[in-house]
Amino acid sequence: MGGPRLEVVKFGFYVFFPVFTMTYFGGPDFYDRYVKGIKFWPEYESTHKPPTTPEDLRASLEKMKSDREERWKQAAKAKQEQPTHPKSP
């Protein structure tokens, strides 16, 4: 086995590695240099805005229904265009 010196070195590593890591990555210099310029959230103007009036809601529902029906038609068309392979005995 390693003996008491190895245990002291391991203990020091286990204690001071997290401390040094938190000191480096948690410091204001690291934050200013690497984190501050990152945009985590999109601009408010570019995000989805739900309909607020009944007319907008009806128009949105009609658009969703037509999109869904178009996807169904495309899926049915793709299914019909697939060649059918007869099962071999």
Side-chain angles (χ1 to χ4, degrees):
M1 297 309 239
R5 287 186 186 172
L6 179 62
E7 294 300 320
V8 169
V9 170
K10 283 176 24 181
F11 176 77
F13 181 77
Y14 293 153
V15 169
F16 290 113
F17 180 76
V19 171
F20 290 138
T21 304
M22 287 186 295
T23 304
Y24 178 72
F25 291 110
D29 184 44
F30 182 85
Y31 178 79
D32 289 338
R33 186 176 301 149
Y34 298 107
V35 180
K36 197 172 187 179
I38 299 174
K39 297 189 77 157
F40 289 105
W41 305 109
E43 295 294 329
Y44 180 73
E45 291 79 23
S46 66
T47 58
H48 172 70
K49 294 179 185 67
T52 56
T53 63
E55 293 82 20
D56 291 342
L57 183 61
R58 284 188 191 96
S60 178
L61 285 172
E62 287 300 321
K63 183 180 181 308
M64 284 189 267
K65 285 180 184 178
S66 65
D67 291 346
R68 181 179 61 208
E69 289 174 359
E70 184 64 32
R71 284 195 310 268
W72 285 350
K73 288 177 185 177
Q74 289 176 355
K77 184 179 177 183
K79 190 173 185 179
Q80 287 176 353
E81 290 177 356
Q82 288 180 349
T84 56
H85 297 292
K87 295 182 180 178
S88 60

